[in-house]
Amino acid sequence: MRVVKVLIGVAILAGVAVLGAYQYWQSRLAAPLALNETTIYEVPRGAGFLRVIGELEERGIIDATWPYRVLAQLSPDKVNGLRSGEFELDPGMSGNDMVARLSSDNVVSYRFTIPEGWTFAQMRRELDAAAKLEHRTRDMSDEEVMAALGHEDEYPEGRFFPDTYRYHKGMTDLEVLRRAYQRMATILADVWAQRHDDLPIDSAYDALILASLIERETGVPEERRQIAGVFTRRLESGMRLQTDPTVIYGMGDDYDGNITRADLRRETPYNTYVIDGLPPTPIAMPGKGALQAAVDPAPGDALYFVSQGDGSHQFSSTLAEHNAAVRRYILNR
């Protein structure tokens, strides 16, 4: 009987010890990380859990690895889902919270913004400088970039929708470009499906070209449909569009900030003072507002417009009115 009591006592003590050890282990996982400020930790691609907790200990984010080694033995499902990428670890976050964060899709993201009216060349320069992206297109020509995207027969200008795109470390610049391309294709198709009848343009690509001219001509949203109306009436009547942004685009690297009379007479595929109709391609990346204006021009009789120097324009119906506006806003400036 005495032996039985001793065994029972030993079992109770062992149980208490095990329970105490378990509670201590749990308390270590529930304790806050040793952080005073938000820290970014990157889980390397292909890294195992033991390597990760070893690095976390080396960086002083956790003070011991043994609680996490025990976790790996007792609950392997909680540690086998580590994701590669950068993660924010916050002060007050527990060890359990940290393991859950490193196994989530909540990776640190960055922004890449394409402003409305940018050219493809401008976008490529900024994309090449974007931090954390894996750069695969830096040494590619424009044609090679489009081929890598699966659109080798397309000219790139205007094909990418201006917007802000989020990405995380490890993504490639091609992935960002692919998203911007698809977004433009989707929005252009939707806008073209809602076009007005009897437009003097024949395709969604024509609408993209026209929208790029509208985008480059005005930064005033309420003027877009008026600009579109002028261009539409000119196309309908056979007048040349005579818009300076096309001249600038056709000049390429020769443009130094000024347009001369000689530049207006210079024959390029894009100089709408020389060519009839639309230029062969877009000259920039238009936003949705410009795309909508291209297929829904404002009614009216204006055939001319001139900058008033504040970003807005004076619209005129006759050449005499236009020349007077030019004298007022351009020649007398």
Side-chain angles (χ1 to χ4, degrees), residues 284-298:
M285 288 174 284
K288 189 172 183 179
L291 290 166
Q292 291 173 325
V295 300
D296 182 23

Side-chain angles (χ1 to χ4, degrees), residues 14 20 23 42 60 93 123 149 171 173 205 207 216 253 281 288 290:
Q23 290 175 335
E42 181 181 0
M93 176 181 282
M123 183 188 71
L149 293 172
M171 284 183 62
D173 48 7
Y205 191 62
R216 293 294 293 164
D253 293 337
T281 74
K288 189 172 183 179

